[in-house]
Amino acid sequence: MVDNTIISIRDVVKRFGSSVLAVNNVSLDIKQGEFFALLGPSGCGKTTLLRILAGFETPSEGQVLIDGDDMERVEPNKRPVNMVFQSYAVFPHMTVRQNVAYGLRVVGTPKPEIDQRVQESLSLVQLEELADRKPDELSGGQRQRVALARALVKHPKVLLLDEPLSALDAKLREQMQIELVHLQQTVGITFVIVTHDQNEALSMADRVAVMNGGNVLQVASPTELYEYPNCRFVADFIGKMNLFDGQVVGVKEGQVVVRADAITAHIGDISVPFGDEARGKVGIAIRPEKVKLDGEEPKDMPIRVRAKVVEVVYYGNESHVFLQSTSGAKITANIKNTSRNTHAGIVKGDQLWVSWCPQDTLVLTS
Amino acid sequence: MESWRKNKLAFSVLVLPPTAWLVIFFTVPLLIMWVYSFAERGPQGQIYLAVNFANYARAIEWIHLGIIWKSVWVAAISTAITFAVGFPLAMGIAFAPTRWKNLLLLLVILPFWTNLLIRTYAWIAVLRTRGFLNFGLEWLHDEFSAFFALIGLPDVMGEFQALELLYNQKAVVIGLVYVYLPFLVLPIYATLEKLNKSYLEASLDLGAGHWRTLFSVTMPLAMPGVVSGCLLAFILSMGTFLTPALLGGTDSEMIGNLIARQFSSSRDWPFGSALSFLLLYLTFIILWVRASMASRKRGPI
Ligand SMILES: Nc1ncnc2c1ncn2[C@@H]1O[C@H](COP(=O)(O)OP(=O)(O)OP(=O)(O)O)[C@@H](O)[C@H]1O
Ligand SMILES: [Mg+2]
């Protein structure tokens, strides 16, 4: 390979029977050494796509290349990838050590090499002490490490993980997120992880593919995904978002002029920086934490809306203020409680000014 | 369950009849047989109650021990063959598409809907010298002969010799495999069905082939079902009576037939009882070995 693409998914379609379209024309390139996440709501086809990579499902159409080789007709046991199953699938009739050694024994690796690699792999996930236990004597987190060690001992080109953290409790999950990232940096293997938890995807991955209904909607780095979502679904799915319907009324050098009655009734049409072509109906979006609240009208802010406080929810480090504009639009503002009485002044029923900068505003064309 | 026990009346109404039934028609007769096994046989087949072990001593005389030993052998061979046929069958059903499963299971238990006696006679019709199997073989033989004659080798196949399939040990084994196959398939099917398919996928994913997966993962994980199924087939085969009586020859007598003979033509109920209890003890020993093996495997936590 000239470039450093390790997995290339080309126009892959997967149908189950005649009615279920699980994966719809997906094309993706995953780079060597990348921590790549497939993110999407339940039933969007993430697991199916991962199983296509592992070889447990055959694509109805399209092609999968791993390290430049076409994977069509390559059995799962001959692919240079390994998988960590959602249920871990740690063999209950083998000890931890036997589980980890299994993948080497079945391909006839010499005994001394097996011993050495198993030891390495166990120490990588800090399981040396538990090596002679049976899986039913382990906790969920430990079992997951076994599944990891068992896959990593094979030195795969790509490690596939299907919701590896979903069975763990919140505290352990957070710890394992950090450990997984650390592990990935240590071994330098490409990780492809499936998750429906956006925080997990954003905090761990180098790049994220957001899926919905079998389609990949956007592939981007976590920051790009959060700050520049390319459609309403991604904007809404990743984090919180204030979304308004708008209409493009004009274009001038790198800006679009938008009319969105819910928020622009008072100030007239607004200009928002936007590079692409935009015409007709669009979505206007702003993140709640990028919204400012003032008592006096902030005349210097080009986008400002008069609104009434409907509810204030206190979260300790921040407060979420739910407002309704005079034209009826619902707006949420997240206020950082940087000192003890930041939001003390804001109570239900207050009339405030909501404002934000044009450069923080998003224009969503789809 | 707790609240059931509190309501004494409802509890006794529900539990007493079946308990009484079991005690009167199962436990008491069994006890009577047990008492008989220590009794003596009168000259006309009367039963004189006594306490002696002569019947048991007779039961382990060489001639009878030989029959018991043969029963164990025949049961073991039939069980092995049943397993060789039944395990792939159970696997086939468990991994079949969902809509086929019920139909396939139905086919496995279909024979239960017909009386065993009739099914065994059907086997006679299949296996005897002028039976369906030999007819089929003869037809094949004739076709091949005709074919070889056509290509200029008229005498290659020789005369057709009908196979002696009935009234011997082979027929008994065939019959036992047939009768007890469902008893072995169902428990194995049940464990395979419950088995998380991810284990098998994990094995493939780690580089094992299908055979390796079968022997290193599927079989060990299906072991509880395999042991139950094989034990069931073995115990039932060992106590069998009808199959050797109808399909077997003079040398095919098994312990079940020996016992049956004591209660009918020999009119020696005490000896028959002793033999029956010997079989029962044997069964208990097998089950005990199995239970202690299972508990040792679970081991200390
Ligand atoms: N073997 C199958 N037969 C038929 N339909 C299937 C099969 N496997 C998956 N599907 C369907 O394909 C779609 C995608 O399933 P998939 O398991 O990939 O979802 P997912 O994104 O992993 O969801 P989740 O987050 O709930 O695990 C679903 O509508 C599912 O019902
Ligand atoms: Mg899934």
Side-chain angles (χ1 to χ4, degrees):
Chain A
M1 294 296 287
V2 198
D3 62 333
N4 58 352
T5 302
I6 188 87
I7 292 184
S8 185
I9 301 170
R10 296 185 184 163
D11 309 314
V12 164
V13 175
K14 177 67 189 180
R15 288 184 209 92
F16 290 108
S18 54
S19 57
V20 183
L21 185 60
V23 175
N24 184 11
N25 212 356
V26 165
S27 294
L28 273 180
D29 279 329
I30 298 172
K31 293 201 232 28
Q32 162 65 44
E34 202 170 26
F35 200 127
F36 193 91
L38 292 169
L39 173 66
S42 188
C44 71
K46 312 176 293 279
T47 299
T48 307
L49 192 56
L50 203 70
R51 288 172 59 81
I52 288 174
L53 297 181
F56 296 123
E57 308 282 0
T58 353
S60 314
E61 285 168 34
Q63 204 185 16
V64 172
L65 306 181
I66 296 177
D67 206 12
D69 298 325
D70 190 345
M71 285 293 123
E72 195 181 355
R73 274 186 257 287
V74 179
E75 291 278 311
N77 54 348
K78 299 277 186 275
R79 296 195 178 198
V81 301
N82 283 106
M83 181 139 164
V84 174
F85 289 80
Q86 183 164 7
S87 58
Y88 307 150
V90 174
F91 303 130
H93 59 297
M94 300 182 191
T95 63
V96 169
R97 193 187 300 283
Q98 287 166 338
N99 259 286
V100 178
Y102 183 79
L104 298 177
R105 272 198 300 127
V106 296
V107 295
T109 311
K111 182 93 174 54
E113 191 188 335
I114 293 183
D115 289 344
Q116 187 215 334
R117 276 168 70 174
V118 167
Q119 204 56 39
E120 271 172 25
S121 199
L122 285 174
S123 75
L124 202 61
V125 296
Q126 293 138 39
L127 271 181
E128 296 115 311
E129 261 103 83
L130 306 178
D132 294 311
R133 290 221 195 151
K134 283 282 185 71
D136 58 0
E137 300 157 23
L138 300 177
S139 72
Q142 290 164 339
R143 230 169 303 172
Q144 195 219 22
R145 286 163 202 265
V146 179
L148 268 172
R150 187 176 70 175
L152 287 173
V153 80
K154 298 275 290 178
H155 298 336
K157 286 180 180 157
V158 180
L159 185 70
L160 308 171
L161 306 103
D162 190 1
E163 310 222 7
L165 307 177
S166 64
L168 307 179
D169 61 57
K171 197 93 187 161
L172 191 57
R173 184 160 29 187
E174 212 163 288
Q175 181 195 335
M176 283 306 292
Q177 283 176 8
I178 297 167
E179 281 188 31
L180 266 184
V181 173
H182 185 74
L183 188 67
Q184 195 262 342
Q185 286 161 352
T186 315
V187 295
I189 292 172
T190 311
F191 277 31
V192 179
I193 186 171
V194 159
T195 173
H196 60 248
D197 179 342
Q198 42 139 331
N199 290 328
E200 205 166 285
L202 293 185
S203 63
M204 292 164 74
D206 298 320
R207 277 197 312 152
V208 181
V210 182
M211 291 183 72
N212 189 33
N215 296 293
V216 169
L217 301 177
Q218 186 170 9
V219 184
S221 69
T223 15
E224 209 184 321
L225 214 54
Y226 188 79
E227 301 295 353
Y228 300 97
N230 67 356
C231 63
R232 283 170 184 250
F233 180 85
V234 175
D236 205 34
F237 189 72
I238 309 282
K240 298 252 165 46
M241 189 66 99
N242 291 305
L243 253 171
F244 314 100
D245 289 322
Q247 179 85 30
V248 175
V249 292
V251 184
K252 53 177 186 192
E253 68 261 10
Q255 307 249 320
V256 288
V257 183
V258 189
R259 178 172 306 155
D261 293 332
I263 48 172
T264 58
H266 173 77
I267 45 170
D269 301 342
I270 51 173
S271 294
V272 178
F274 193 66
D276 298 334
E277 283 282 292
R279 206 165 276 123
K281 288 197 187 317
V282 291
I284 297 297
I286 182 74
R287 294 278 180 203
E289 73 276 10
K290 297 188 168 66
V291 170
K292 286 192 194 58
L293 297 178
D294 294 286
E296 301 292 313
E297 181 169 5
K299 289 263 168 57
D300 53 327
M301 299 291 281
I303 303 176
R304 52 189 191 278
V305 188
R306 182 116 177 106
K308 194 169 108 180
V309 177
V310 178
E311 194 71 71
V312 181
V313 182
Y314 178 67
Y315 286 102
N317 63 336
E318 59 179 25
S319 297
H320 296 181
V321 183
F322 297 92
L323 307 110
Q324 186 154 31
S325 74
T326 40
S327 52
K330 288 191 169 65
I331 306 173
T332 309
N334 294 358
I335 312 291
K336 284 258 164 290
N337 294 327
T338 43
S339 75
R340 275 190 180 162
N341 41 18
T342 311
H343 95 281
I346 302 174
V347 292
K348 203 164 152 177
D350 280 0
Q351 290 285 346
L352 295 174
W353 281 95
V354 180
S355 63
W356 64 86
C357 304
Q359 56 267 36
D360 290 335
T361 313
L362 286 159
V363 178
L364 303 168
T365 52
S366 57
Chain B
M1 210 46 217
E2 288 297 310
S3 54
W4 270 110
R5 247 177 253 140
K6 271 186 211 125
N7 191 341
K8 287 229 167 66
L9 184 68
F11 187 70
S12 44
V13 163
L14 280 173
V15 167
L16 267 183
T19 311
W21 201 91
L22 266 180
V23 169
I24 295 170
F25 295 109
F26 182 75
T27 317
V28 171
L30 206 63
L31 266 176
I32 294 174
M33 297 299 290
W34 189 68
V35 172
Y36 280 180
S37 73
F38 299 103
E40 281 165 27
R41 175 188 189 269
Q44 263 84 47
Q46 308 94 317
I47 297 158
Y48 299 129
L49 291 187
V51 181
N52 70 46
F53 290 85
N55 293 315
Y56 286 101
R58 223 181 112 201
I60 54 171
E61 277 169 14
W62 280 115
I63 176 155
H64 301 126
L65 222 48
I67 292 180
I68 294 174
W69 181 237
K70 195 163 65 193
S71 303
V72 171
W73 252 112
V74 170
I77 290 173
S78 324
T79 306
I81 297 176
T82 313
F83 176 73
V85 178
F87 190 86
L89 190 61
M91 231 170 84
I93 301 174
F95 298 147
T98 328
R99 63 206 149 95
W100 288 103
K101 261 182 210 173
N102 283 332
L103 182 70
L104 291 171
L105 273 179
L106 192 74
L107 287 178
V108 170
I109 55 174
L110 198 62
F112 287 137
W113 294 4
T114 317
N115 184 287
L116 176 59
L117 199 59
I118 295 171
R119 286 185 280 144
T120 310
Y121 275 116
W123 271 107
I124 296 180
V126 172
L127 295 177
R128 66 184 163 206
T129 321
R130 306 222 27 87
F132 295 120
L133 195 63
N134 273 320
F135 285 155
L137 289 173
E138 189 172 5
W139 179 81
L140 272 181
H141 178 269
D142 290 351
E143 293 297 307
F144 273 108
S145 301
F147 171 73
F148 282 120
L150 211 67
I151 59 168
L153 301 160
D155 292 325
V156 144
M157 296 288 289
E159 272 294 296
F160 175 73
Q161 293 285 325
L163 296 178
E164 288 296 331
L165 296 166
L166 198 56
Y167 306 128
N168 53 33
Q169 214 68 267
K170 262 176 288 177
V172 175
V173 170
I174 292 175
L176 289 178
V177 169
Y178 162 74
V179 175
Y180 297 119
L181 187 68
F183 293 93
L184 182 129
V185 168
L186 292 180
I188 297 181
Y189 164 77
T191 36
L192 285 176
E193 171 63 30
K194 273 186 293 174
L195 194 70
N196 186 345
K197 305 288 180 291
S198 305
Y199 290 129
L200 314 187
E201 287 183 346
S203 172
L204 290 178
D205 187 70
L206 290 166
H210 288 279
W211 288 106
R212 183 67 196 239
T213 301
L214 176 66
F215 288 110
S216 297
V217 179
T218 317
M219 282 237 199
L221 292 182
M223 213 24 102
V226 169
V227 173
S228 303
C230 287
L231 268 184
L232 208 58
F234 181 78
I235 290 170
L236 290 173
S237 303
M238 208 163 72
T240 192
F241 145 76
L242 194 65
T243 311
L246 292 185
L247 302 181
T250 42
D251 66 336
S252 310
E253 190 176 50
M254 288 172 70
I255 185 164
N257 308 97
L258 185 62
I259 294 171
R261 189 143 51 81
Q262 304 314 314
F263 288 96
S264 54
S265 55
S266 300
R267 302 236 282 146
D268 193 346
W269 284 38
F271 182 49
S273 305
L275 280 171
S276 302
F277 270 90
L278 208 62
L279 188 60
L280 197 64
Y281 298 145
L282 218 61
T283 309
F284 278 151
I285 290 172
I286 295 170
L287 289 179
W288 173 75
V289 168
R290 194 241 153 138
S292 58
M293 253 160 57
S295 68
R296 201 182 52 210
K297 221 170 91 197
R298 246 175 269 124
I301 303 297

